[in-house]
């Protein structure tokens, strides 16, 4: 496998324009027709790495040629989900790759202006990206008539003021427009009416950063990068009680065993694996028996979970699974935008029951009641936030039923040393 | 009060969007960097620049956690308490931060140097337990590393 996204990660500082080198992929792209480039992307079957896994070429071809101008391109760099920190690596380690990828992507899409929506906690990274944009603009790589090609693009770096829901694509549009980040109703979809009512394509950062590699090296090269049924490369990450938490570019399809036990160094001494969330906090648990599964969209979906961003969160045998569920649910309770009742009120209500069980005051039937709540919250909320929030809770309530029933029957946490938690 | 250069800078930024309100977050962040938090006068200045009412601005400030309506210390320490940091000891770290700052979470320390806030996932799961001191990431933190972060020589306290 050839590192394409992480080729500069080893440098002590992110590369400036001189160190980064020529924008070779941009020059190669500008020498071709956008339709031909789009066809190549279609052949790679490259999918969105933000979690949804939608085929990239289909998304990029969705805007009709006669749709009203301007057309906007938005890069979603708002990874705020626990367990997901892959895009941070790209932002902090190779901002010029981002600029070049946006230019190539916008050229293919036919966009008139690009916005990079950066989560507020990555302020230093956003400053580095702005420097890269300014440097590229000074070199004639951003702005009007880029390299004399007739293609023009300006890039706006927008630093958000925080909040997980901003990563939901329609909520992100509201945030960019200076509104509360409440989700919008679909249809119309953003590619029809997005930013300021104009056609807008919203892309995860990692996905777009794959495109220069395809332009330079071709479809067959891209496909050959994967293993175990996967294609291309992926920024995988692992966190939790492991020896070497981190993020690595690896062949798409790498197994969870290799990720957890080789790259992350295995669990801390004396700890054993109970389960893991494969794609960040809003996915369903997988078990040790799934360690040899190929980590790609379809393989993880077959296991009834979600590939998501493939930010693995490890649950070990020294952490109370109920405490783990409470900590994750606390995140979603606090981050619900409050727009619709099942999410705004249902998640805190579930939280109060989980905490009561953990405090040794559980009642028979609590677990079933929680499962019933999950089934009511997920399908009755406005956007994908609540279904994502209940996914780990629902799967945890089923997988760890015996543990939870023990909490209720014994009136205490079997792990005893549960850390104190603050009200959410 | 904003000076003429600052006002011109913000007006230019706001003006490059199709709608002025798109510049509201940038304007509020700018004002917060200048004043430390968004007091009433800051909102009045933002209102004049962005063409939004004070109520519309309050809607934004109360929604986005990185916008601060109440006074904070000169440095703000945000300790992540989401799952990776939680498992790595964030609850104890928050308790220790309260002890070191001598005030409850969210309040400026007596010398006005620092305010400690719990924060949802900072995207630093590989550095758990992690924190942001203003905009700079720190982690993994233990009690000693935390004490060094909030020490007067680091936060400008007494």
């Amino acid at each position: 496998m050839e590192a394409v996204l992480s080729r500069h990660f080893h440098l002590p500082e992110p590369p400036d324009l001189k160190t980064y080198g020529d924008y070779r992929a941009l020059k190669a792209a500008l020498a071709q027709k956008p339709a031909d480039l789009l066809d190549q992307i279609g052949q790679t079957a490259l999918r969105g790495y933000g979690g949804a896994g939608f085929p990239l070429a289909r998304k990029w071809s969705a805007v009709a040629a006669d749709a009203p101008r301007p057309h906007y391109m938005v890069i979603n760099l708002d990874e705020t989900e626990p367990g997901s920190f892959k895009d941070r690596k790209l932002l902090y380690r190779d901002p010029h790759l981002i600029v070049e990828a946006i230019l190539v992507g916008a050229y293919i899409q036919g966009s008139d202006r690009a916005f990079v929506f950066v989560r507020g906690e990555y302020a230093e990274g956003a400053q580095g990206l702005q420097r890269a944009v300014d440097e590229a603009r000074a070199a004639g790589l951003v702005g009007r008539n880029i390299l004399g090609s007739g293609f023009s693009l300006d890039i706006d770096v927008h630093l958000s003021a925080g909040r997980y829901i901003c990563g939901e694509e329609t909520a992100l549009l509201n945030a960019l427009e200076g509104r509360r980040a409440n989700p919008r109703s679909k249809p119309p979809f953003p590619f029809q009416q997005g930013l300021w009512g104009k056609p807008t394509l919203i892309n995860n950062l990692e996905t777009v950063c794959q495109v220069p590699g395809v332009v330079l090296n071709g479809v067959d090269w891209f496909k050959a990068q994967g293993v175990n049924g996967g294609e291309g490369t992926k920024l995988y990450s692992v966190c939790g009680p492991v020896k070497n938490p981190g993020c690595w570019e690896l062949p798409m399809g790498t197994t969870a065993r290799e990720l957890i036990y080789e790259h992350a160094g295995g669990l801390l001494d004396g700890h054993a694996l109970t389960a893991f969330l494969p794609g960040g906090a809003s996915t369903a648990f997988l078990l040790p028996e799934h360690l040899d599964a190929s980590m790609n969209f379809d393989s993880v979906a077959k296991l009834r979970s979600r590939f998501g961003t493939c930010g693995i969160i490890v649950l070990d045998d020294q952490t109370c699974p109920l405490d783990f569920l409470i900590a994750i649910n606390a995140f979603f309770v606090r981050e619900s935008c409050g727009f619709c009742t099942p999410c705004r009120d249902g998640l805190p209500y579930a939280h109060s029951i989980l905490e009561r069980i953990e405090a040794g005051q559980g009642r028979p039937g609590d677990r079933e009641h929680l499962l019933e709540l999950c089934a009511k919250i997920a399908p009755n909320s406005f956007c994908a936030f609540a279904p994502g929030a209940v996914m780990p809770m629902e799967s945890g309530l089923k997988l760890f039923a015996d543990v939870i029933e023990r909490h209720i029957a014994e009136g205490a946490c079997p792990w005893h040393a549960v850390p104190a938690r603050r009200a959410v | 009060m904003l000076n003429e250069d600052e006002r011109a800078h913000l007006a230019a930024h706001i003006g490059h969007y199709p709608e002025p309100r798109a510049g509201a977050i940038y304007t509020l962040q700018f004002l917060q960097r200048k004043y430390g938090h968004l007091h009433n006068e800051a909102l009045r200045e933002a209102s004049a620049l962005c063409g939004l009412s004070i109520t519309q601005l309050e809607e934004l400030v109360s929604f986005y956690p990185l916008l601060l309506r109440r006074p904070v210390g000169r440095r703000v320490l945000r300790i992540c308490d989401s799952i990776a940091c939680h498992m790595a000891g964030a609850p104890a770290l928050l308790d220790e931060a309260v002890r070191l700052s001598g005030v409850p979470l969210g309040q400026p320390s007596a010398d006005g140097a620092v305010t400690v806030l719990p924060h949802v996932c900072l995207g630093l799961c590989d550095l758990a337990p992690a924190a942001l001191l203003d905009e700079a990431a720190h982690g993994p933190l233990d009690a000693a590393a935390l004490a060094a972060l909030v020490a007067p020589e680091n936060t400008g306290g007494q």
Side-chain angles (χ1 to χ4, degrees):
Chain A
M1 187 208 84
E2 179 187 345
V4 282
L5 302 181
S6 61
R7 66 183 186 272
H8 294 128
F9 284 10
H10 66 285
L11 296 174
E13 296 292 329
D16 58 13
L17 185 55
K18 193 176 167 198
T19 311
Y20 181 82
D22 237 0
Y23 275 34
R24 284 197 308 129
L26 175 65
K27 289 176 180 170
L30 292 176
Q32 299 176 62
K33 290 180 183 160
D36 294 341
L37 293 164
L38 188 62
D39 183 53
Q40 286 177 45
I41 294 170
Q43 289 177 50
T44 64
L46 183 57
R47 294 165 70 169
Y49 286 176
F54 192 80
L56 185 64
R58 267 176 59 196
K59 181 183 261 193
W60 282 13
S61 58
V63 179
D66 60 351
R69 293 273 169 185
H71 297 179
Y72 294 119
M73 176 189 199
V74 173
I75 304 299
N76 187 344
L77 217 172
D78 191 275
E79 51 171 9
T80 307
E81 176 159 319
S84 300
F85 50 94
K86 65 183 180 67
D87 292 338
R88 185 188 101 222
K89 294 287 181 183
L90 286 164
L91 177 65
Y92 280 79
R93 305 309 309 164
D94 204 354
H96 273 291
L97 171 62
I98 298 175
V99 176
E100 184 175 26
I102 291 171
L103 289 164
V104 172
Y107 174 69
I108 298 172
Q109 292 177 19
S111 304
D112 300 296
R113 188 168 168 184
F115 292 84
V116 190
F117 188 93
V118 184
R119 66 172 295 188
E121 293 82 356
Y122 291 170
E124 287 194 335
Q127 288 162 20
L129 179 58
Q130 184 64 60
R131 280 194 297 276
V133 171
D134 293 343
E135 218 181 348
R137 184 180 285 113
L141 296 162
V142 168
R144 295 206 58 77
N145 192 21
I146 294 167
L147 299 173
S149 65
F151 168 60
S152 300
L153 188 83
D154 227 324
I155 300 175
D156 264 59
V157 179
H158 174 93
L159 183 66
S160 169
R163 207 139 185 152
Y164 173 68
I165 192 64
C166 292
E168 199 279 338
E169 61 174 10
T170 60
L172 184 153
L173 296 175
N174 276 334
L176 261 178
E177 290 182 1
R179 302 170 196 279
R180 279 191 174 216
N182 294 126
R184 294 178 182 177
S185 175
K186 293 188 279 193
F189 292 93
F191 73 84
Q192 299 164 311
Q193 286 180 43
L195 209 49
W196 297 295
K198 296 295 193 292
T200 303
L201 291 174
I202 305 167
N203 306 268
N204 164 258
L205 176 68
E206 182 187 358
T207 319
V208 176
C209 286
Q210 289 281 4
V211 173
V214 175
V215 171
L216 278 178
N217 303 305
V219 176
D220 293 340
W221 168 88
F222 179 83
K223 288 189 168 185
Q225 304 293 301
V227 294
N228 302 324
E231 294 177 345
T233 66
K234 173 83 187 78
L235 288 176
Y236 285 104
S237 51
V238 180
C239 67
V242 291
K243 287 177 185 159
N244 180 33
C247 174
W248 314 271
E249 184 181 9
L250 295 165
M252 176 66 101
T254 301
T255 65
R257 185 184 301 281
E258 184 181 333
L259 291 168
I260 295 172
Y261 288 94
E262 290 184 31
H263 301 285
L267 275 77
L268 297 173
D269 290 337
H271 297 233
L273 180 69
T274 297
F276 60 96
L277 297 175
S282 66
T283 58
F285 286 96
L286 295 183
L287 297 168
E289 69 203 56
H290 301 126
L291 278 170
D292 291 316
S294 165
M295 289 289 107
N296 68 58
F297 291 104
D298 297 333
S299 164
V300 178
K302 278 182 191 156
L303 300 173
R304 294 173 180 269
S305 187
R306 286 196 314 116
F307 182 65
T309 56
C310 207
I312 289 179
I313 307 174
V314 165
L315 168 61
D316 66 340
D317 63 343
Q318 296 184 23
T319 302
C320 169
L322 181 56
D323 180 58
F324 187 95
L325 292 182
I326 294 171
I328 284 190
N329 194 52
F331 170 83
F332 289 113
V333 169
R334 281 157 59 183
E335 289 300 285
S336 170
C337 77
F339 188 55
C340 62
T341 310
C343 184
R344 181 187 62 241
D345 290 353
L347 294 174
Y349 178 47
H351 197 77
S352 68
I353 300 171
L354 290 167
E355 288 217 298
R356 185 163 51 69
I357 300 172
E358 182 77 328
Q361 292 155 9
R363 301 170 198 144
D366 273 348
R367 195 181 67 85
E368 292 77 6
H369 184 42
L370 282 164
L371 283 168
E372 198 182 335
L373 263 178
C374 290
K376 285 199 163 71
I377 292 170
N380 294 308
S381 57
F382 189 73
C383 77
F385 179 101
V390 303
M391 210 167 184
M393 181 161 46
E394 193 168 28
S395 90
L397 288 165
K398 290 174 181 168
L399 281 174
F400 310 121
D402 56 335
V403 171
I404 291 160
E405 294 299 349
R406 251 187 88 188
H407 278 78
I408 295 171
E410 296 172 14
C413 173
W415 272 259
H416 299 299
V418 175
R421 193 176 297 100
R422 261 154 254 284
V424 293
Chain B
M1 285 275 289
L2 290 169
N3 62 40
E4 280 309 309
D5 286 348
E6 291 168 333
R7 200 169 284 116
H9 167 76
L10 288 172
H13 183 87
I14 293 163
H16 95 299
Y17 291 109
E19 290 178 5
R21 74 174 299 149
I25 297 295
Y26 181 87
T27 302
L28 291 167
Q29 288 167 330
F30 187 97
L31 291 164
Q32 183 166 291
R33 269 198 305 279
K34 181 176 173 73
Y35 300 127
H37 76 286
L38 296 165
H39 46 52
N40 292 347
E41 180 55 30
L43 291 191
R44 275 193 284 275
E45 289 185 303
S47 174
L49 283 160
C50 303
L52 295 176
S53 69
I54 299 293
T55 305
Q56 287 172 313
L57 290 166
E58 291 273 21
E59 282 177 359
L60 297 177
V61 178
S62 61
F63 188 84
Y64 294 103
L66 295 173
L67 298 178
L68 302 166
R69 187 71 172 95
R70 288 194 288 178
V72 289
R74 291 184 292 278
R75 312 290 299 272
V76 176
L77 181 71
R78 291 182 167 84
I79 297 179
C80 179
D81 62 2
S82 292
I83 186 64
C85 292
H86 175 81
M87 284 191 285
L93 213 53
L94 277 160
D95 288 342
E96 181 64 6
V98 169
R99 194 185 70 76
L100 288 168
S101 64
V103 289
L105 295 174
Q107 295 188 16
S109 56
D111 59 4
V114 66
T115 290
V116 182
L117 292 167
H119 198 83
V120 297
C121 191
L122 290 171
L124 302 169
C125 312
D126 51 337
L127 301 175
L132 278 184
L133 182 62
D134 295 333
E135 294 173 353
H138 297 272
L141 290 175
D142 56 15
L146 178 71
L149 266 189
V150 299
E153 56 269 29
N154 197 34
T155 54
Q158 292 158 14

